[in-house]
Amino acid sequence: MITAWRIAIGAAFAVALSNQPARAGDPRYPDWPCAQAKVPEISVAAVWAGPPLGDAANQWKDDPKINALVTKVAARRLPLEDAEKEIAGFLSAAAANKATAGKLLFAGLFDTLNAQRASVMNGLERVMRKQREAAEKIRSDTVALQALQDATPPDQAKVDELGNQLVWETRIFEDRRRVVKFVCEVPTTIDQRLFALSRAIQQELD
């Protein structure tokens, strides 16, 4: 049993030291856990080369049809090709109001997808802070477990209890680390979706 817990200690200590969240590359964002640079929000100019938006940026929420379409095509569960078809069909039906509808639709998508990005990025930074706390807890519990094992005689019940706790903490830490690695791709996916949908709108307006 003691040998098993010594193996657990080694594994936990390795996790705490080598897999703790890396220090952020940009000092402005110390909690940012991803290899990709953090860009807090997308600029309109980066994704829109269509007509000036004017009041559309503030008016899109007042149009129920625009609202419904924005919600539908912004959702990542809808394949991008289907979203582009929805946009084409909607703007074709807009006829003489196509330019206005296109600007309203883009404004809605821009606001909605930027908000999605912000939510994901804020969540990643919250997890980063939890990971720092978890790494410190693993280190302190590892030291405590070593002390219990080295006692003469060791209190095996306490060794087992803390050892089980340490294994559980390490598992949670590793699970979070894997999730963060996956979620770090989401902001880029949202960027790409916004760019593609913006392009689909502009093609209909040309």
Side-chain angles (χ1 to χ4, degrees):
M1 178 67 72
I2 291 177
T3 300
W5 284 132
R6 288 195 183 280
I7 293 172
I9 286 175
F13 198 64
V15 165
L17 291 179
S18 64
N19 286 335
Q20 61 181 302
R23 181 173 295 177
D26 189 332
R28 294 174 299 172
Y29 311 116
D31 295 327
W32 181 242
C34 306
Q36 304 92 323
K38 181 181 178 181
V39 179
E41 65 177 30
I42 313 166
S43 68
V44 170
V47 291
W48 179 252
L53 296 179
D55 293 334
N58 300 317
Q59 294 177 349
W60 69 270
K61 292 180 181 179
D62 299 330
D63 188 316
K65 291 183 179 179
I66 293 291
N67 257 294
L69 184 59
V70 165
T71 299
K72 184 174 185 178
V73 302
R76 295 193 301 281
R77 64 179 175 272
L78 181 69
L80 186 56
E81 183 178 351
D82 292 344
E84 291 170 340
K85 289 178 180 177
E86 291 281 346
I87 287 171
F90 178 81
L91 292 179
S92 294
N97 294 320
K98 180 186 290 187
T100 298
K103 290 189 291 183
L104 291 170
L105 180 56
F106 169 76
L109 287 170
F110 181 81
D111 285 355
T112 300
L113 291 174
N114 246 333
Q116 287 182 13
R117 283 177 87 254
S119 178
V120 170
M121 294 167 87
N122 289 337
L124 282 166
E125 290 180 324
R126 283 195 299 272
V127 171
M128 174 69 159
R129 291 190 286 271
K130 287 183 180 178
Q131 287 293 79
R132 286 204 186 100
E133 294 171 1
E136 184 57 40
K137 184 71 162 56
I138 289 170
R139 280 195 293 269
S140 64
D141 284 351
T142 298
V143 171
L145 182 55
Q146 287 176 319
L148 285 173
Q149 288 186 311
D150 292 340
T152 304
D155 184 330
Q156 194 59 49
K158 289 184 177 179
V159 168
D160 290 348
E161 180 182 0
L162 186 54
N164 283 325
Q165 178 180 315
L166 192 52
V167 168
W168 181 247
E169 290 169 352
T170 305
R171 183 178 302 162
I172 292 172
F173 185 97
E174 282 290 279
D175 287 346
R176 280 195 193 129
R177 185 179 64 84
R178 284 189 287 269
V179 169
V180 164
K181 186 176 181 181
F182 171 77
V183 178
C184 276
E185 301 297 327
V186 174
T188 299
T189 300
I190 294 174
D191 292 349
Q192 293 169 344
R193 188 175 189 89
L194 178 56
F195 181 81
L197 297 180
S198 171
R199 182 176 56 191
I201 295 169
Q202 291 173 79
Q203 287 175 343
E204 291 299 318
L205 299 186
D206 288 344

